[in-house]
Amino acid sequence: MQDPYKVLGVSANASDEEIKKAYRELAKKYHPDNYVDNPLSDLAQEKMKEINEAYDTITRSRKNGGQAGSSGYTGGYSSGYSSGYSGGSAYQQAGGTYAQIRSAINAGNLQYAEQMLDSCPTRDAEWNFLMGSLYYRKGWLDDARSFFQRAVSMDPSNGEYRQALNMLNGAGSPYRQTGYGPPAQQGGCDMCDMCTAMMCANMMCGGCR
Amino acid sequence: MFGYVRPLAPELKVKEFERFRACYCGLCHELGKEYGAAGRSILNYDFVFLSMLLWGNRESCDYCRRRCLPGLFRKKCVCSSAPALTTAAGYSVILAYWKAVDNRDDSRGGKRLLARAVCRCLNRSYKKASALYPAFDRSVRERLEALGALETEKCPSLDRAADQFALLLSSASEAAGEDARRVLEQLLYHVGRIVYIADAYADLEEDLKAGRYNPVAVRYGLTSPEPDDRIKAGVRETLLSSVDLAAAALALLPKSYWTPVTENIVLLGLPDMIDRVLAGTYVTAGKRLPKRPQLGQNGE
């Protein structure tokens, strides 16, 4: 087994607080919510398991003999994990063909799913949602969004459809940075002036050295 | 469609910036060594990114001091030749050659003459590279052909057109080790998608004027080169979704010497490039690196 400290990216003499922080950050990064319908979700799942195990090992060894103390934390994440994955009740409720298409998409059997969808006689909200999922999985995000939008407008009450659309809109994405701001903030002459001023200042700093 | 994949320099540590520059120079020297002056001329940021991704899980990089034309009087610190640099150099020659062939067949007048000259210059380099990497060569040729066909039939789906270029780039993942290949395939797919769509957006004005096919224009039914905010928001959102997926894939790559730089490129460089392309302030021509980290647009 790998060195648990290395897995969490901390040194062996890090404090409990530091370890918890490192664990939390990693768990957020590899959380299944970030890999819903992602073709790499199995790898993220493995990674998450590795992190959970490493954290468990460290906390247990530090508590000298495996008290239940650590499981509160791990439990929190792993339960979110499994419930995220089973996909809720909609999976089980969906009618025959759609259920088959769903499992084909989840298994990554996209060609088969596409054929099935093409041969469907009806074009209802669920059909649009599944088309969206299929395209999302393929990485065709613009088309995926159109289908999700159609699914939501046909059945606005369905939480799953809305969630899928929100995901494409970047809601809950851990990667969206705010530092450099939307285009509205950019450009404009005053910014140029500021840049020039700072570059001049920078040059002078270099000269003084 | 090159030069879109760069780091956001102000957010790099100084040592990371120096390393990135050394890698850039290293690729240039590699191209020069393997493919001569013609090879050097096609150096671009995108393949620097690729060489960093193909580095594998090696935790180090060897450096040496080399002289070159822009640095004639002072030797520069340069990454020594490495397998990843050799592969990236070969791939970039193959892609540049087929792009030039494409241009030669598609354009007219002066541009055609220029493209023909480029083809001739790259011919020998291409022969060498394609013998070394036949699989990538085949994939590039097929994808560009398919893309050409979609462009002729004026494909209305932005994704379908971008798909071919994205698959082209993702086929570069075959050079990676077994453990990283699948992840890299997905990562490069989305980087390719972003580059293709951003490039199409940047070319809107030129394409509309010349009456050429432009996937963004067809997708949104544009007739004037100044899209409204709704369209800009749509393009931005679909590109940022690709950034999300690229970032999710990057997180699964084994840690390497270049991880801090590649993370900067995907998480900060790509979104910054997207915003600048949409605002019409992105410059692709200035291929050479700035002497020192440039200030961000917000003066940060």
Side-chain angles (χ1 to χ4, degrees):
Chain A
M1 193 189 158
Q2 266 185 297
D3 175 11
Y5 290 99
K6 210 175 164 193
V7 172
L8 295 187
V10 291
S11 74
N13 46 21
S15 70
D16 288 357
E17 245 347 277
E18 279 168 347
I19 289 169
K20 196 179 245 179
K21 197 173 157 227
Y23 168 73
R24 259 187 221 187
E25 256 162 38
L26 287 173
K28 201 174 143 203
K29 194 170 171 185
Y30 296 106
H31 195 275
D33 285 354
N34 304 332
Y35 291 88
V36 177
D37 276 339
N38 191 311
L40 304 174
S41 60
D42 55 320
L43 297 176
Q45 221 165 339
E46 268 169 41
K47 191 94 188 168
M48 189 78 186
K49 211 174 129 209
E50 215 172 82
I51 296 162
N52 279 335
E53 276 171 9
Y55 184 68
D56 257 359
T57 315
I58 294 175
T59 35
R60 222 176 301 137
S61 71
R62 286 196 172 195
K63 295 219 156 128
N64 287 332
Q67 288 170 13
S70 72
S71 62
Y73 212 87
T74 330
Y77 268 113
S78 41
S79 72
Y81 198 58
S82 49
S83 73
Y85 252 86
S86 65
S89 57
Y91 273 73
Q92 279 76 40
Q93 284 166 14
T97 323
Y98 285 154
Q100 272 178 29
I101 296 172
R102 257 175 203 269
S103 55
I105 293 174
N106 282 338
N109 194 352
L110 302 185
Q111 225 171 356
Y112 176 68
E114 194 159 12
Q115 277 171 9
M116 297 262 291
L117 279 165
D118 278 342
S119 62
C120 275
T122 50
R123 299 283 191 260
D124 55 7
E126 179 75 5
W127 184 88
N128 277 298
F129 169 73
L130 289 175
M131 277 303 267
S133 306
L134 174 74
Y135 278 130
Y136 180 78
R137 185 80 191 229
K138 274 168 79 167
W140 295 28
L141 306 175
D142 187 47
D143 288 346
R145 178 210 286 277
S146 309
F147 280 112
F148 283 148
Q149 271 167 347
R150 221 167 298 157
V152 169
S153 66
M154 285 166 103
D155 184 1
S157 63
N158 188 308
E160 193 184 15
Y161 303 165
R162 249 179 301 125
Q163 204 183 341
L165 187 60
N166 285 341
M167 182 175 68
L168 259 184
N169 289 339
S173 160
Y175 303 111
R176 300 277 166 110
Q177 306 275 339
T178 47
Y180 279 78
Q185 288 177 12
Q186 293 191 350
C189 214
D190 48 340
M191 291 297 177
C192 295
D193 291 347
M194 215 162 123
C195 271
T196 327
M198 288 188 72
M199 272 195 275
C200 290
N202 200 2
M203 272 161 63
M204 277 156 77
C205 285
C208 293
R209 245 189 313 194
Chain B
M1 45 180 77
F2 299 122
Y4 286 95
V5 188
R6 328 177 177 179
L8 187 61
E11 292 288 335
L12 283 173
K13 282 182 187 168
V14 174
K15 69 171 179 185
E16 289 162 2
F17 182 78
E18 302 272 308
R19 282 176 187 175
F20 173 73
R21 192 155 63 176
C23 186
Y24 182 84
C25 291
L27 184 61
C28 182
H29 279 287
E30 188 71 26
L31 278 164
K33 190 182 85 183
E34 298 288 330
Y35 304 101
R40 266 186 190 217
S41 65
I42 58 168
L43 174 68
N44 67 70
Y45 286 117
D46 307 11
F47 282 89
V48 180
F49 179 60
L50 182 67
S51 29
M52 292 191 284
L53 290 178
L54 293 179
W55 211 255
N57 45 12
R58 271 176 60 196
E59 292 280 352
S60 65
C61 169
D62 298 326
Y63 293 96
C64 57
R65 297 192 73 80
R66 304 281 288 274
R67 228 185 268 285
C68 63
L69 211 51
L72 197 57
F73 302 111
R74 226 180 77 193
K75 286 187 177 178
K76 282 185 183 167
C77 183
V78 171
C79 286
S80 313
S81 182
L85 289 174
T86 316
T87 315
Y91 283 7
S92 66
V93 165
I94 292 172
L95 186 54
Y97 176 79
W98 284 113
K99 278 301 292 175
V101 169
D102 226 30
N103 282 346
R104 184 189 66 190
D105 299 342
D106 288 352
S107 49
R108 257 170 262 148
K111 276 193 175 169
R112 182 175 201 150
L113 283 177
L114 189 72
R116 194 178 288 171
V118 174
C119 280
R120 201 160 296 164
C121 286
L122 283 178
N123 203 359
R124 266 179 63 191
S125 313
Y126 165 72
K127 277 193 182 137
K128 183 175 174 189
S130 60
L132 284 171
Y133 308 105
F136 185 73
D137 177 48
R138 198 177 333 111
S139 140
V140 170
R141 200 175 52 217
E142 283 170 10
R143 296 297 172 200
L144 284 179
E145 253 169 39
L147 189 59
L150 285 173
E151 284 174 357
T152 330
E153 69 182 45
K154 303 211 182 302
C155 168
S157 162
L158 187 56
D159 284 327
R160 191 178 293 277
D163 186 51
Q164 292 300 332
F165 189 75
L167 286 172
L168 182 161
L169 209 60
S170 83
S171 64
S173 63
E174 60 169 32
E178 198 71 57
D179 53 337
R181 196 169 302 154
R182 232 183 95 205
V183 179
L184 211 51
E185 211 172 22
Q186 168 88 351
L187 170 57
L188 290 173
Y189 182 92
H190 284 286
V191 172
R193 182 176 182 271
I194 293 166
V195 167
Y196 183 82
I197 296 176
D199 186 59
Y201 189 93
D203 287 346
L204 262 181
E205 193 173 341
E206 207 180 303
D207 285 348
L208 283 173
K209 209 184 278 172
R212 268 196 303 262
Y213 168 75
N214 182 300
V216 175
V218 176
R219 160 70 175 83
Y220 291 101
L222 285 178
T223 43
S224 84
E226 199 35 64
D228 61 35
D229 286 347
R230 190 184 54 84
I231 294 171
K232 276 189 184 179
V235 174
R236 181 166 189 271
E237 212 42 74
T238 196
L239 290 178
L240 287 183
S241 301
S242 262
V243 172
D244 285 343
L245 286 171
L250 183 69
L252 292 169
L253 269 189
K255 287 264 173 291
S256 93
Y257 182 73
W258 296 106
T259 301
V261 184
T262 47
E263 276 182 353
N264 172 295
I265 292 177
V266 173
L267 299 179
L268 302 170
L270 288 175
D272 181 64
M273 176 277 284
I274 290 166
D275 281 345
R276 284 178 196 229
V277 165
L278 289 172
T281 57
Y282 193 73
V283 185
T284 46
K287 274 210 306 191
R288 221 181 309 149
L289 274 173
K291 280 255 158 45
R292 58 183 79 218
Q294 269 183 343
L295 296 165
Q297 276 194 337
N298 296 349
E300 282 165 309

